[in-house]
Amino acid sequence: MIFDVKNKTILVTGANRGIGKAILEEALHRGAAKVYAAVRSIDSADTLVAEYGDRVVPIRVDLNDPDSITAAAETATDVDVVVNNAGVLKTSSAISSDAIESLQFEMNANVYGLIRVAQAFAPVLK
């Protein structure tokens, strides 16, 4: 199945590197009109803006900061597609002194953060 993104506005979380960057670039290659690069640090998207110009719009989204998610949804009201890609990894063994804190950090970003993004953008996508 192929999803057509031509002339659509896409938001990709974690768009500055890895899979998120690949998704952003492929969306542009397939004709997306604009891609919001949802990143923790706006500066981390500078190379994407330099390469793709105003088709890439950096927007701050930190999955551990619910206010940043809400603000992004209030700003990016023209989004057609959300790719909820961002995540974190904090390696720690189960018997490490920071095991609980590491798991809480990962759960907050990788579970609750993704749910917050979905909830924040649901009204925009209807």
Side-chain angles (χ1 to χ4, degrees), residues 11 13 61 63 69 82 84 112-122:
L11 181 132
T13 65
V61 171
L63 297 180
I69 297 168
V82 173
N84 214 349
Y112 305 122
L114 296 182
I115 292 170
R116 287 182 185 111
V117 169
Q119 289 176 334
F121 282 93

Side-chain angles (χ1 to χ4, degrees), residues 4-91:
D4 186 15
V5 297
K6 190 171 181 68
N7 298 319
K8 295 199 184 311
T9 298
I10 317 294
L11 181 132
V12 181
T13 65
N16 56 326
R17 62 190 183 100
I19 294 170
K21 182 179 177 189
I23 292 168
L24 176 142
E25 291 174 332
E26 187 63 20
L28 292 171
H29 175 73
R30 292 179 181 248
K34 174 170 61 174
V35 179
Y36 286 101
V39 293
R40 280 183 287 199
S41 171
I42 295 293
D43 296 343
S44 68
D46 286 351
T47 58
L48 293 168
V49 173
E51 185 170 351
Y52 298 105
D54 62 358
R55 290 179 67 203
V56 173
V57 178
I59 190 166
R60 184 175 179 278
V61 171
D62 182 340
L63 297 180
N64 285 305
D65 178 4
D67 291 338
S68 75
I69 297 168
T70 302
E74 290 170 353
T75 299
T77 58
D78 57 340
V79 169
D80 298 305
V81 176
V82 173
V83 180
N84 214 349
N85 162 76
V88 298
L89 174 65
K90 192 169 187 177
T91 57

